[in-house]
Amino acid sequence: MTEKTETENIAYDVVVLGAGPVGENVADRTRAAGLSTAVVESELVGGECSYWACMPSKALLRPAIARADARRTPGLAQAVQGPLDASAVLAHRNDYTSHWKDDGQVRWLDGVGADLYRGQGRLTGERTVAVTGPDGASHVLTARHAVAVCTGSRAALPALPGLAEVRPWTSREATSAQSVPGRLVVVGGGVVATEMATAWQALGSRVTLLIRGKGLLPRMEPFAGELVAEALAEAGTDVRTGTSVTSVTRQEGTVVVATDRGDRIEADEILFATGRAPRTDDIGLDTVGLEPGSWLDVDDSLRVTGTDWLYAVGDVNHRALLTHQGKYQARIAGAAIATRAAGVPLLETDPWGAHSATADHHAVPQVVFTDPEAAAVGLSLAEAERAGYRVRAVDVDLSSVAGAALYAEGYRGHARMVVDVEDEIVRGVTFVGPGVGELIHSATVAVAGRVPVDRLWHAVPSYPTISEVWLRLLEAYRG
């Protein structure tokens, strides 16, 4: 890989906008196919996940979850009643972000043979990208076969007057803060809100969680949010549902929050975890007939609708805003780009084909790293019914499984399997409880593989593990 710094015009087979995990995986696949590839990045190579999302958030959460598990373990509980060493946790988090330096990620790109261009990349027309470097140097890159937009998403803030002057936290500040706020207000009920409430509460913040809707984790089965909310409240978080923020000010360093219920809350910091917006406002979409700042509509090979050269991979297409799903899309897109570049007239775009991101529709897994963890794949019961499937849900109390009882004293958790009663396959699975994040891939295999229920009956879970919940679910379904 050559890091380009001088003004030049150069042609590549593929140009990738964005060097996060998604862009890196597109580049990896196109280089593996022998296509020359340029990657353009305006910030850090490695992207949001490496520095402000997945890695730092889980580094913050892991000690909190480990302590919670230890406190539920006889013989160990008394040894871990003290507070976390917040400075050690933050230092460990800093190590996991490589102290916000991307040398290692640059070396990875070097290893696959892609050329890195530092700066803002903008489309200037079909198959053409202009790059303005941090030093003012400019480059014009032409793509023989494809341009892949992998610029991700950013936190979306509400339209509250004077919010900028308050200097609110978004997910970036919440995962990179170098000290623990004494009081923290978290606005939102989704993954970022619940995970950051969990982490900062454990690190010593007094957390108030404000949720506009009826409960947490609204995209999952209702019991998931209920169990997480219950645990947060027990840990000391002030959880308030049905509450909207009407104004926020910062007075002599103190954040003052007013709500539609007449509450006045004071805090040291406020985190808004209220959604995401695509990072497509300044990449030249208007030059190719697309709307700046919009999500990009794609087919299942991740090619932008109405084009034969432009791809949108990861968050920007709004199919599944998850790092692992974006990397999956990148593998599909890279294969599609390479196959089309080779002149193959027909791609394998049938469902579950080599060039079709079918899992985006049927088998998207997600883990929420709260205490308890919540994990789901496929459709919830309500989603399956809205989609017109004839389904039946079966539920199991996870505490009834021997492995769960051994895992933690007083284990609380729940499992649901949604079965298509016509095709006799699993449409969705949800687990909530300590340690269930490691269960979800088994469910993903079942859903993506469309494994018949009668064959799952022969997949024997090891005893005594939490995975034995699969047997309990199948028994509940078969009666």
Side-chain angles (χ1 to χ4, degrees), residues 80-207:
V80 290
Q81 289 304 312
L84 293 175
D85 183 339
S87 61
V89 173
L90 297 178
H92 178 66
R93 183 275 319 275
N94 292 348
D95 289 341
Y96 259 81
T97 62
S98 301
H99 297 267
W100 291 274
K101 296 179 181 178
D102 64 2
D103 302 29
Q105 299 278 3
V106 171
R107 285 194 296 272
W108 184 89
L109 269 184
D110 185 39
V112 303
D115 286 349
L116 172 63
Y117 290 81
R118 299 268 191 188
Q120 179 64 45
R122 297 179 181 88
L123 292 161
T124 59
E126 187 172 318
R127 292 185 171 86
T128 305
V129 175
V131 184
T132 303
D135 58 357
S138 61
H139 321 282
V140 177
L141 312 179
T142 301
R144 298 184 187 94
H145 298 293
V147 174
V149 177
C150 308
T151 49
S153 63
R154 61 166 60 88
L157 290 171
L160 287 171
L163 186 57
E165 287 71 35
V166 175
R167 303 181 305 280
W169 281 9
T170 66
S171 52
R172 284 198 169 194
E173 290 77 20
T175 55
S176 63
Q178 295 298 318
S179 61
V180 179
R183 301 163 298 175
L184 174 65
V185 170
V186 179
V187 183
V191 177
V192 172
T194 53
E195 288 190 346
M196 290 299 93
T198 300
W200 289 108
Q201 176 77 41
L203 287 167
S205 290
R206 191 161 69 250
V207 176

Side-chain angles (χ1 to χ4, degrees), residues 39-110:
V39 180
V40 182
E41 178 53 56
S42 62
E43 294 188 293
L44 296 175
V45 176
E48 199 82 8
C49 177
S50 298
Y51 307 105
W52 301 288
C54 315
M55 298 308 289
S57 67
K58 277 51 186 183
L60 292 174
L61 284 158
R62 180 58 195 151
I65 303 306
R67 183 182 64 171
D69 283 344
R71 286 178 171 177
R72 292 186 285 259
T73 304
L76 182 58
Q78 290 304 118
V80 290
Q81 289 304 312
L84 293 175
D85 183 339
S87 61
V89 173
L90 297 178
H92 178 66
R93 183 275 319 275
N94 292 348
D95 289 341
Y96 259 81
T97 62
S98 301
H99 297 267
W100 291 274
K101 296 179 181 178
D102 64 2
D103 302 29
Q105 299 278 3
V106 171
R107 285 194 296 272
W108 184 89
L109 269 184
D110 185 39

Side-chain angles (χ1 to χ4, degrees), residues 389-419:
Y389 295 114
R390 288 186 57 233
V391 292
R392 176 183 159 208
V394 291
D395 294 86
V396 168
D397 181 345
L398 263 171
S399 67
S400 67
V401 177
L406 287 167
Y407 188 94
E409 191 172 57
Y411 190 105
R412 285 182 292 177
H414 195 85
R416 170 172 288 179
M417 179 174 69
V418 179
V419 180

Side-chain angles (χ1 to χ4, degrees), residues 214-217 221-232 372 432:
K214 295 180 180 179
L216 302 179
L217 304 176
E221 298 281 10
F223 60 80
E226 291 166 6
L227 285 170
V228 171
E230 181 180 314
L232 279 169
V432 184

